[in-house]
Amino acid sequence: MTAAALSLIAARNWAQNNEMNVQFHGFNDVRGVTVLSPTVDLTQDYTERTNLRVNYGLDTISAASDSCVRCHNDGVNSHRQVFGLSATRKYNDLKLTIGGAYSKENFYRATTGLASVSRDLAHGNTTVAGGFSFSLNQPMLHPLPEYENQYQSGGFISVTQTLTKSTIAQAGYEVSHIAGYQNNPYLRADVNGQMVLGNVPDARTRQTLSARLRQALPGATYAEADYRRYVDDWQVKSNTISLGLSHYFRPEFLAALTYRRYDQTGAFFWASDYTGTPQYYTADFRLEPFASNTYTGRVEIAPKGSWWLLPDGAALTLQYERYSADNGFEASIVSTGLRVPLKVIRR
């Protein structure tokens, strides 16, 4: 099995980027929150060296949510729109990407700019990549029509190496710094029996180490293993382990199973309730210690030739995820997707 075959699960090949992906996600959790999310992703080569990618997503949220339950006991409908645009320019073994994204919802908006560069070395067996991003996040102090500013900047570096004809490995490091408003304006902490707006540090530095392995096995079977270690200066530390196995039962039918284990410690100031005069206090559940398990099943069907008026190479994806955490939170996610190849444009 050659390394080129592994590109199906390890990376997207430059020559295969002319396609449109349409996906639909349905989310439901134990709180009664339902999220429906259609997304469209368009990738097109405009010249032999230039590639453009455009994506748009819309989230429709119903029932109670953490941002509204204080003001609306039965919850309130909400929505979020996300638009992204990026361009990649290829210079021999070097690729340069610049882009941005904008998202807006009822009580939050975010603007992001990014740039990255990658270079192939050792006859394409090694790829070194790095990048930088900056985001301006603006949560609304609901129910007041006022916004606060949060500034997030970060960078990453990664090395992808072909180890054998059937094995690819990747190692990466990320660092980001967040400054500005970081309270959750929609939750209230219990301080001496009083429900008050939380108070957290206004600076946070995050670091992540990651390792990925992709292995081709006999019989059109592929194995994958990922590990991620996260730490920050709020003393939140987490480990993520993901294991997956996929198999082509026929050239046009792929089935895959993935298991993901996550655990984290709590922030140094986290508590279920507070007494006295604490400097920091919060009710943000994302800062509490917990562990979770995620099970994912996915099938991809890509019939030969054209079908249902779709061109040759089109594929249908069906996926189901089940998430459960030891803090009592559970959720189910159902996803469907359609990938349609596009004609190559050469100018």
Side-chain angles (χ1 to χ4, degrees), residues 35-269:
V35 182
L36 302 178
S37 305
T39 63
V40 179
D41 191 319
L42 175 66
T43 306
Q44 181 72 60
D45 290 346
Y46 278 89
T47 71
E48 292 183 355
R49 296 178 177 271
T50 306
N51 175 274
L52 184 67
R53 181 176 182 180
V54 181
N55 58 75
Y56 174 78
L58 173 65
D59 294 344
T60 302
I61 307 169
S62 62
S65 66
D66 294 316
S67 60
C68 303
V69 71
R70 294 186 301 106
C71 305
H72 312 277
N73 292 331
D74 296 327
V76 66
N77 292 338
S78 182
H79 67 274
R80 179 177 71 104
Q81 297 186 75
V82 182
F83 175 78
L85 175 66
S86 65
T88 299
R89 180 70 174 177
K90 188 176 182 181
Y91 302 92
N92 298 321
D93 294 332
L94 190 72
K95 291 180 184 178
L96 175 65
T97 300
I98 58 173
Y102 177 76
S103 67
K104 189 178 188 304
E105 53 191 290
N106 288 22
F107 312 111
Y108 193 89
R109 62 191 181 201
T111 305
T112 301
L114 59 89
S116 66
V117 62
S118 67
R119 184 172 183 179
D120 293 332
L121 305 171
H123 305 289
N125 291 315
T126 303
T127 301
V128 179
F132 174 82
S133 65
F134 176 81
S135 297
L136 171 61
N137 306 315
Q138 296 177 295
M140 178 180 173
L141 304 184
H142 182 72
L144 299 176
E146 300 176 3
Y147 286 90
E148 289 283 355
N149 291 333
Q150 178 191 105
Y151 308 93
Q152 180 171 350
S153 57
F156 78 92
I157 185 171
S158 68
V159 178
T160 305
Q161 179 66 50
T162 300
L163 301 178
T164 70
K165 291 183 178 180
S166 59
T167 308
I168 292 178
Q170 183 184 83
Y173 171 75
E174 298 178 43
V175 61
S176 67
H177 181 75
I178 308 172
Y181 185 85
Q182 298 189 58
N183 288 330
N184 189 320
Y186 318 122
L187 302 178
R188 295 297 183 264
D190 184 347
V191 181
N192 298 315
Q194 301 288 326
M195 305 306 292
V196 299
L197 181 66
N199 182 48
V200 302
D202 59 6
R204 187 179 188 183
T205 299
R206 300 169 165 176
Q207 299 183 76
T208 303
L209 286 172
S210 61
R212 307 177 69 188
L213 182 68
R214 300 293 183 267
Q215 177 68 53
L217 302 174
T221 302
Y222 303 88
E224 59 183 74
D226 296 350
Y227 174 73
R228 177 179 180 271
R229 173 65 174 175
Y230 166 92
V231 297
D232 66 30
D233 54 6
W234 288 8
Q235 296 181 15
V236 176
K237 302 176 182 179
S238 71
N239 298 284
T240 306
I241 298 175
S242 178
L243 301 173
L245 192 67
S246 59
H247 177 72
Y248 280 95
F249 289 89
R250 298 178 61 182
E252 61 270 19
F253 184 83
L254 171 71
L257 295 174
T258 304
Y259 169 73
R260 177 179 178 270
R261 171 70 179 182
Y262 176 85
D263 66 79
Q264 76 168 44
T265 61
F268 70 89
F269 51 86

